[in-house]
Amino acid sequence: MKSTEQPVTGAAFALDPQLAHDTLVIGDLPLSRVLLMNDANFPWLIIVPRRAGTAEVFDLTPADQMRLMAEIARVGELLKEVTGCDKINTAAIGNIVPQLHVHIIARSRSDAAWPRPAWGALPACPYDEAARECLLAVLRKKIPG
Amino acid sequence: MKSTEQPVTGAAFALDPQLAHDTLVIGDLPLSRVLLMNDANFPWLIIVPRRAGTAEVFDLTPADQMRLMAEIARVGELLKEVTGCDKINTAAIGNIVPQLHVHIIARSRSDAAWPRPAWGALPACPYDEAARECLLAVLRKKIPG
């Protein structure tokens, strides 16, 4: 781990177990781990700043806030390019999983939940293996692992 | 309008009519207009970058993205201080109102929708006049008008 990646608390970053259970790892950006939600209803990424003990955006240092915004913009634009979606939905909610994580979801006017927000709208539908590996390969080519 | 506030398109910024209808104006930060949703279910702010023709975070220039993140963090921290809430929910969705706007919502374990996201969870409940003016006064003291 590089010194710039040391969390302020000194504690080591560990991905929340619920996030680890629900997602597949795409790779790491300078600040955040990038995950794919295992839910074929929507192309749905989650980025998690690798900083222990962080629940709110304003818990990050100002420099990390800027890194997070750059990564939100980069991942959102990339997901729009890859999917050709109509809208990117971006959110840090965290009412259930307290570790700061940002949802970046590709939404289409033709998806089953449109225009409602994605959270809780549909039962999760895991990818079949071929679709999952194909999407992961495309995303890993664009996001350094 | 200062030259740094000119939108890239040259078109003048105008608040989306639906946002104008649903909210009360608190004031302007360097980039964004800050609004209070007229819904007493949750203390719910919306910040809108004053840039015409912007739908996605990545439509903003990198400098404006950084300004937006600073304003998200500032407004979220302030809203947590003012309300003593348990969690700030932050989101740019825009499936219905295309103008880029960021929800910043104070959530409490005791609110009627917890832990579900706020959007669509409860029928909107407009503030009574006294409560609205009191909350606006508190917020306007902290956010320059």
Side-chain angles (χ1 to χ4, degrees), chain B residues 103-123:
Chain B
H103 302 266
I104 300 177
I105 311 171
R107 302 299 308 276
S108 298
R109 291 188 187 89
S110 59
D111 73 42
W114 183 269
R116 287 173 296 145
W119 304 276
L122 303 170

Side-chain angles (χ1 to χ4, degrees), chain A residues 55-58 65-70 72-74 76-78 80 85-98 100 107 114-119, chain B residues 55-58 65-70 72-74 76-78 80 85-98 100 107 114-119:
Chain A
E56 302 280 7
V57 168
F58 51 82
Q65 291 171 16
M66 299 301 112
R67 288 186 188 101
L68 178 59
M69 178 53 95
I72 286 170
R74 177 177 168 190
E77 190 162 21
L78 182 157
K80 187 166 183 187
C85 67
D86 295 307
K87 189 71 190 71
I88 294 293
N89 290 180
T90 306
I93 300 177
N95 300 347
I96 296 172
V97 169
L100 177 62
R107 301 299 308 274
W114 183 268
R116 287 173 295 145
W119 304 278
Chain B
E56 301 281 7
V57 168
F58 51 81
Q65 291 171 17
M66 299 300 112
R67 288 186 189 101
L68 178 58
M69 179 51 98
I72 287 170
R74 177 177 168 190
E77 191 162 20
L78 182 157
K80 187 165 185 187
C85 67
D86 294 308
K87 189 70 190 68
I88 294 293
N89 290 180
T90 306
I93 300 177
N95 300 347
I96 296 172
V97 170
L100 176 62
R107 302 299 308 276
W114 183 269
R116 287 173 296 145
W119 304 276

Side-chain angles (χ1 to χ4, degrees), chain A residues 14-130:
Chain A
L15 187 64
D16 177 275
Q18 185 70 49
L19 291 177
H21 177 266
D22 295 344
T23 67
L24 303 145
V25 175
I26 294 171
D28 280 355
L29 291 172
L31 176 66
S32 306
R33 183 148 302 159
V34 186
L35 308 168
L36 172 68
M37 272 283 271
N38 191 12
D39 183 352
N41 287 305
F42 319 94
W44 184 330
L45 305 184
I46 293 181
I47 72 174
V48 186
R50 297 191 304 283
R51 296 289 186 259
T54 304
E56 302 280 7
V57 168
F58 51 82
D59 293 337
L60 294 170
T61 65
D64 277 348
Q65 291 171 16
M66 299 301 112
R67 288 186 188 101
L68 178 59
M69 178 53 95
E71 295 180 359
I72 286 170
R74 177 177 168 190
V75 170
E77 190 162 21
L78 182 157
L79 188 62
K80 187 166 183 187
E81 279 170 21
V82 165
T83 63
C85 67
D86 295 307
K87 189 71 190 71
I88 294 293
N89 290 180
T90 306
I93 300 177
N95 300 347
I96 296 172
V97 169
Q99 181 173 71
L100 177 62
H101 60 288
V102 180
H103 302 266
I104 301 177
I105 311 171
R107 301 299 308 274
S108 298
R109 290 188 188 89
S110 60
D111 73 42
W114 183 268
R116 287 173 295 145
W119 304 278
L122 302 171
C125 169
Y127 286 101
D128 68 41
E129 191 181 332

